[in-house]
Amino acid sequence: MEFEFEGRTEKEAIDRAAGELGLEKDDFDVEILETQKSGLFKKGLVRIRVHVGNFGVSSKSSSSTAEKSAARPSEKRQNDSMERDRITGGSSQAVFGEPEPQNEFEEKMIEFTSGLIERMGYPGKVSILFRDNSKLGLKIDSGYSSILIGKKGKNLDALQLLLNIYAGRLGKEEVRIILDTENYRIRREESLVRLAYNVAEKVRESRGSILLEPMNPFDRWLIHTTLNDIGDVETKSEGDGLYKQVRVFYRGLK
């Protein structure tokens, strides 16, 4: 399924898409259709196309998304901090001291995750990282964390996808499962922000462009939004499929 959204910035357009579709930012692929920088007498505009797998949209959101997209609500969604929005959703309950499952759903998710990594040959202890009404965070403590994470987090992303599919089969499509180990997701985010700024500086010096490695939708979104406010540098996604590349290029000041 495909939907189009607009915003004054890419971040605002993606936030609007996530809110109206009822999804997380790493649940869909984003294609930048149009970018207009803000100027003295005009506001910025970013138009995006969102590609969503059929399993990604809950039955409630899929029945009303087209109507919501056409209506374009004028009120601006309040944005939480990026890391809190991705990991905890801004309203999660701290679980330090109570990492054990509190209900049957949490028990089944821990049991499924434990069985999955054990059958892979990389057993570990699975516990609750955080919980709220729409998200459940799971943490793996294992001596094989580096293997479970994989190159650029691809193994961890694949495991997380399986957990979300399983949660849907348990009738919990509205609950987003976040899987982490060794605080990889936070460390990855910090690394990508540093990468974005370093690449932007190189592009400024060379007056050329740099094509980054293939990334998942959330990682690409992070690169785009980190560099969005740098006036002489632009970014765009290139390629097909889920793992596209981000090109950072010099545009000069206008």
Side-chain angles (χ1 to χ4, degrees):
M1 290 181 288
E2 298 180 352
F3 307 96
E4 292 187 9
F5 297 89
E6 293 179 358
R8 289 176 295 179
T9 65
E10 185 176 325
K11 181 178 186 300
E12 182 176 306
I14 294 175
D15 283 343
R16 178 171 294 168
E20 294 186 13
L21 294 173
L23 299 173
E24 293 303 303
K25 298 180 183 71
D26 54 352
D27 282 339
F28 52 79
D29 198 14
V30 176
E31 177 183 356
I32 308 300
L33 299 178
E34 180 182 2
T35 301
Q36 297 179 10
K37 290 287 185 179
S38 59
L40 183 61
F41 299 107
K42 66 177 182 178
K43 296 181 179 179
L45 172 68
V46 176
R47 187 162 61 91
I48 65 174
R49 177 179 292 134
V50 171
H51 302 266
V52 183
N54 290 332
F55 68 88
V57 183
S58 66
S59 58
K60 179 179 179 181
S61 62
S62 61
S63 63
S64 59
T65 297
E67 180 180 350
K68 288 182 179 179
S69 299
R72 301 290 189 214
S74 59
E75 59 271 15
K76 184 179 183 296
R77 297 176 59 247
Q78 181 178 2
N79 296 323
D80 294 325
S81 69
M82 184 161 45
E83 189 263 332
R84 182 179 61 188
D85 180 46
R86 177 174 70 89
I87 302 296
T88 68
S91 61
S92 60
Q93 175 186 355
V95 295
F96 301 108
E98 52 173 308
E100 299 302 321
Q102 302 295 305
N103 52 53
E104 183 180 3
F105 173 65
E106 292 183 2
E107 289 176 354
K108 288 186 175 181
M109 291 307 304
I110 288 179
E111 181 181 357
F112 179 80
T113 308
S114 298
L116 183 61
I117 61 176
E118 185 172 352
R119 287 191 293 273
M120 291 172 60
Y122 308 113
K125 177 177 174 55
V126 181
S127 57
I128 304 297
L129 181 61
F130 66 84
R131 58 171 68 86
D132 68 10
N133 292 330
S134 60
K135 292 188 179 75
L136 177 66
L138 299 179
K139 179 181 68 170
I140 300 175
D141 292 314
S142 172
Y144 305 96
S145 291
S146 60
I147 299 176
L148 293 173
I149 292 171
K151 185 178 180 181
K152 306 303 180 184
K154 288 187 177 181
N155 291 348
L156 195 63
D157 287 344
L159 288 170
Q160 181 173 282
L161 176 60
L162 290 175
L163 297 185
N164 278 278
I165 294 175
Y166 180 67
R169 291 181 176 178
L170 294 178
K172 295 288 186 177
E173 297 92 344
E174 75 282 2
V175 178
R176 171 64 179 161
I177 308 300
I178 306 296
L179 182 64
D180 201 3
T181 182
E182 297 292 339
N183 292 321
Y184 168 78
R185 298 201 180 278
I186 294 177
R187 291 188 288 108
R188 172 68 171 166
E189 184 173 308
E190 293 172 346
S191 174
L192 286 173
V193 169
R194 289 194 300 268
L195 172 66
Y197 284 126
N198 289 337
V199 170
E201 188 62 31
K202 291 179 180 179
V203 165
R204 280 173 155 175
E205 293 174 355
S206 67
R207 299 296 194 267
S209 70
I210 295 177
L211 187 64
L212 303 181
E213 63 188 355
M215 299 180 183
N216 65 36
F218 178 81
D219 288 354
R220 294 199 308 273
W221 171 82
L222 189 58
I223 297 292
H224 289 311
T225 54
T226 297
L227 301 181
N228 187 66
D229 293 329
I230 299 181
D232 57 348
V233 170
E234 285 192 2
T235 61
K236 65 177 180 179
S237 293
E238 297 182 359
D240 299 315
L242 185 65
Y243 285 85
K244 296 181 181 179
Q245 295 176 272
V246 175
R247 183 176 296 278
V248 182
F249 60 96
Y250 179 78
R251 65 185 293 271
L253 293 173
K254 293 184 178 180

